[in-house]
């Protein structure tokens, strides 16, 4: 069964700023590095992105066309936001591009996406529960998982653009040095985010693919 996610993907929109396209190209080049293939398996499968709405199966009676129409309407009613001061850093054992502290715009966007697309989400299955291993979650994360189908939302949300899978301790210094060198020209830049993206997993275990790009309001005006 297909799964759908709502992502932030700088550089996915043709009208994106040069910084966004440079960032996307740099991350895709990072994923392609031969010596890192064993550490980017899941990162490459999910694709360059920051999660706004984690992958879901559509609820009974909801369709892909309805999901895309809802994303159009959602994005058209919102302005672009800025991902400030990106830097590569550890997060829960893996590596990602993290923003500098901001005015809360990214958290607000993620919370709005979560609420807007909740009606499209099929209930979590027993297999979903087992895969998430709720016994390893905090009480708050378990509460969020049961309510929203994902534990890292709202006050547990942390915007990040994933670069690796979990990094073994013995390779941490090597990976961190490679990250510093690879992203040296992009460290600290501000990147405009001008759209949300719907990505799809066509079948279980398949790589996620960009299904559609939904520009924010000012992005539409700029391209007219």
């Amino acid at each position: 069964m297909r799964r759908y996610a709502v992502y932030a993907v700088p550089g996915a929109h043709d009208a994106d700023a040069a910084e966004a396209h440079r960032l996307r190209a740099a991350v895709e080049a990072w994923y392609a590095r031969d010596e890192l293939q064993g550490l980017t398996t899941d990162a490459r499968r999910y694709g360059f992105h920051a999660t706004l709405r984690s992958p879901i199966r559509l609820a009974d009676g909801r369709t892909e066309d309805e999901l895309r129409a809802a994303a159009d309407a959602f994005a058209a009613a919102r302005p672009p936001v800025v991902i400030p001061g990106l830097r590569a850093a550890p997060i829960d054992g893996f590596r990602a591009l993290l923003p500098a502290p901001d005015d809360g715009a990214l958290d607000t966007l993620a919370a709005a996406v979560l609420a807007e697309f909740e009606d499209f989400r099929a209930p979590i299955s027993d297999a979903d529960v087992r895969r998430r291993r709720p016994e390893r979650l905090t009480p708050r994360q378990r509460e969020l998982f049961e309510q929203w189908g994902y534990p890292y939302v709202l006050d547990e949300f942390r915007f990040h653009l994933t670069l690796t899978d979990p990094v073994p301790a013995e390779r941490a210094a090597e990976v961190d040095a490679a990250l510093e060198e690879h992203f040296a020209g992009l460290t600290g830049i501000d990147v405009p985010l001008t759209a949300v993206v719907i990505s799809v997993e066509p079948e279980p275990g398949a790589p996620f693919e960009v299904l559609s790009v939904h520009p924010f309001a000012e992005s539409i005006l700029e391209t007219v």
Side-chain angles (χ1 to χ4, degrees), residues 72-119:
D72 275 338
F74 173 85
R78 305 186 69 87
V81 298
V82 172
I83 308 170
L86 280 171
R87 72 194 192 286
I91 177 173
D92 296 334
F94 60 97
R95 302 300 189 270
L97 291 166
L98 304 180
D102 68 354
D103 59 2
L106 294 172
D107 290 351
T108 298
L109 174 63
V113 167
L114 183 71
E116 181 71 20
F117 295 96
E118 176 64 6
D119 287 347

Side-chain angles (χ1 to χ4, degrees), residues 190-208:
D190 296 342
V191 178
L193 181 67
T194 64
V196 293
V197 166
I198 295 178
S199 287
V200 61
E201 180 189 48
E203 58 186 30
F208 276 74

